[in-house]
Amino acid sequence: RKEVEQDPGPFNVPEGATVAFNCTYSNSASQSFFWYRQDCRKEPKLLMSVYSSGNEDGRFTAQLNRASQYISLLIRDSKLSDSATYLCVVNPAGTASKLTFGTGTRLQVTL
Amino acid sequence: GAVVSQHPSRVICKSGTSVKIECRSLDFQATTMFWYRQFPKQSLMLMATSNEGSKATYEQGVEKDKFLINHASLTLSTLTVTSAHPEDSSFYICSAGGQGSRTDTQYFGPGTRLTVL
């Protein structure tokens, strides 16, 4: 089993749609969780951290379920500019240590 | 978020030459930096963890004598690809650990695209 699993997609959605991505992780002791966004031929950029209480940043909402070892990202009112690959990332130790990446979920928002 | 720079952004070299890539944390001190490689349509693969003032820790399968890492200061780590070959052509990205209360967060440099002819 992969340490971090994501549906690779692609998810093709029209502008304005709501889309949700899910991710599961295998290490129950993992401490910190993140969603990064990576555009084609660019570096990953931090989108948001994920907390058990859930956190929202504009059109983006992230949620962590420790009991199910499950992380989600919800994007509301999708924009063309949201088209990218979304990486689910786990920091097992919760310190300045190496990250574990999912393979990424590709989102394509269309007119 | 924190700013991490990389230089050069793109390099094309002949087979057999060595290429040095610099990674700098611009607005914070990073005792730990990480070097990744990404081939087209594949995930980021961690190559090594760069520790300031000590030897780097390499992932399994990564040749330490081929990929030399130096982390001489709290703001600079370098990766040297020695005797580069076409199969070393890839996108090399560094990251640096966060600062303050968010040491668990990493910020990535813009990457260096290496093409070995």
Side-chain angles (χ1 to χ4, degrees):
Chain A
R1 181 186 174 188
K2 290 181 181 177
E3 293 182 69
V4 179
E5 292 205 59
Q6 291 181 254
D7 181 343
F11 283 58
N12 294 297
V13 303
E15 252 193 321
T18 296
V19 61
F21 304 140
N22 302 318
C23 166
T24 57
Y25 61 96
S26 61
N27 183 351
S28 60
S30 294
Q31 297 295 311
S32 305
F33 309 88
F34 308 90
W35 284 100
Y36 281 78
R37 166 195 172 129
Q38 186 174 25
D39 292 283
C40 188
R41 300 173 69 83
K42 298 284 188 181
E43 79 279 18
K45 292 187 177 175
L46 179 66
L47 184 63
M48 57 201 309
S49 303
V50 190
Y51 306 111
S52 295
S53 55
N55 49 310
E56 186 174 316
D57 183 2
R59 298 182 293 108
F60 299 84
T61 301
Q63 188 77 51
L64 165 66
N65 184 321
R66 284 191 182 271
S68 302
Q69 295 176 214
Y70 170 97
I71 306 158
S72 65
L73 176 67
L74 183 76
I75 305 175
R76 290 180 297 279
D77 188 23
S78 299
K79 312 290 184 191
L80 292 174
S81 57
D82 293 334
S83 298
T85 296
Y86 290 83
L87 302 171
C88 176
V89 180
V90 175
N91 183 334
T95 60
S97 55
K98 58 184 182 181
L99 304 176
T100 305
F101 289 83
T103 53
T105 298
R106 177 150 169 70
L107 172 66
Q108 184 68 51
V109 181
T110 57
L111 288 169
Chain B
V3 180
V4 178
S5 71
Q6 261 183 262
H7 178 80
S9 58
R10 179 183 294 270
V11 60
I12 300 173
C13 68
K14 293 181 179 180
S15 186
T17 60
S18 293
V19 175
K20 180 187 278 190
I21 303 170
E22 292 186 350
C23 177
R24 292 182 186 272
S25 56
L26 297 183
D27 54 357
F28 67 103
Q29 294 182 328
T31 53
T32 307
M33 291 184 176
F34 302 88
W35 287 96
Y36 297 84
R37 181 167 53 179
Q38 187 174 35
F39 293 104
K41 298 189 177 182
Q42 293 189 23
S43 302
L44 282 161
M45 290 179 55
L46 179 67
M47 299 176 66
T49 302
S50 173
N51 304 298
E52 188 267 337
S54 63
K55 291 182 178 180
T57 304
Y58 290 81
E59 294 300 299
Q60 193 172 11
V62 178
E63 300 175 58
K64 62 180 182 180
D65 295 329
K66 181 169 180 62
F67 299 99
L68 300 178
I69 290 173
N70 186 287
H71 194 153
S73 77
L74 287 172
T75 58
L76 174 64
S77 175
T78 60
L79 168 69
T80 301
V81 183
T82 62
S83 186
H85 290 285
E87 57 266 30
D88 298 324
S89 298
S90 187
F91 189 45
Y92 291 85
I93 313 174
C94 70
S95 73
Q99 53 186 325
S101 60
R102 293 313 308 269
T103 56
D104 58 345
T105 307
Q106 288 183 28
Y107 298 90
F108 289 83
T112 298
R113 196 160 298 282
L114 171 63
T115 302
V116 184
L117 302 176

